Amino acid sequence: RDPSHRVYSDASYIGIGGWSSDFGFLWRITRDDLSALGFDMKAVARLSSEPKQGKTPGLHINPPEYVAALINLWISLVLVIETGARDGGYIVQLNADNTSALAWMSEAARTPDPFLQGLARLGSALLVAAARLLTKIVPTHIPGIKNTEADALSRPAAKNSPLVPSLASVIAQWPNLQTCRILLEIAD
């Protein structure tokens, strides 16, 4: 069967974001807030969304990508509950351009990293909740070049950086986002 709803997420080293025109939502979180929540984010080059040259300490991009997918899953399930039953149930296509993060939907529980194990347990709990709501979750890879709206949402406005768009300018640039409710924006 075809998906009844599609959701999209992305992560960068300066933030994470997601959206769905089917559910009508969008959200974004900055790197500073991820750091405040305990994520060991890599230092990024000035006026860039990429890590500084050379080996820098901090998380690889995969954990933030996984967190973005989990937030999309959580919001989707809240909206499924809010909307109510649907004939045949829901089929939510969880789109991300990071295959590792998508694989973690079923494999992350095997990691020896306690931080990632906690995220995996959250993912497992959300998948159990989805099943109880007659909602099938289909993690799907989308090429980055086709994940443009989520990519823009994952690059929140940074202080003193003309290279990073504000949320209002991202919404104005992408017509698909113009009808979405802003459900979560944690920013400076």
Side-chain angles (χ1 to χ4, degrees), residues 130-155:
R132 295 176 83 189
L133 294 168
L134 301 178
T135 301
K136 180 178 177 146
I137 305 301
V138 183
T140 305
H141 178 259
I142 181 171
I145 197 164
K146 293 183 179 181
N147 201 21
T148 52
E149 291 93 336
D151 183 71
L153 286 168
S154 75
R155 284 152 176 80

Side-chain angles (χ1 to χ4, degrees), residues 18-19 24-27 153 167 171 177 180-184:
W19 73 286
F25 73 80
L26 63 86
W27 62 272
L153 286 168
L167 183 57
I171 292 170
L177 300 178
C180 294
R181 297 179 288 171
I182 301 171
L183 294 186
L184 176 65

Side-chain angles (χ1 to χ4, degrees), residues 4-28:
S4 60
H5 294 75
R6 290 172 179 82
V7 295
Y8 301 85
S9 65
D10 193 33
S12 72
Y13 286 104
I14 61 170
I16 60 178
W19 73 286
S20 171
S21 62
D22 295 325
F23 281 119
F25 73 80
L26 63 86
W27 62 272
R28 72 190 314 185

Side-chain angles (χ1 to χ4, degrees), residues 27 30 33 47 83 128 133 146 148 150 164 174 187:
W27 62 272
T30 68
D33 290 303
L47 300 178
T83 304
V128 168
L133 294 168
K146 293 183 179 181
T148 52
V164 184
W174 302 103

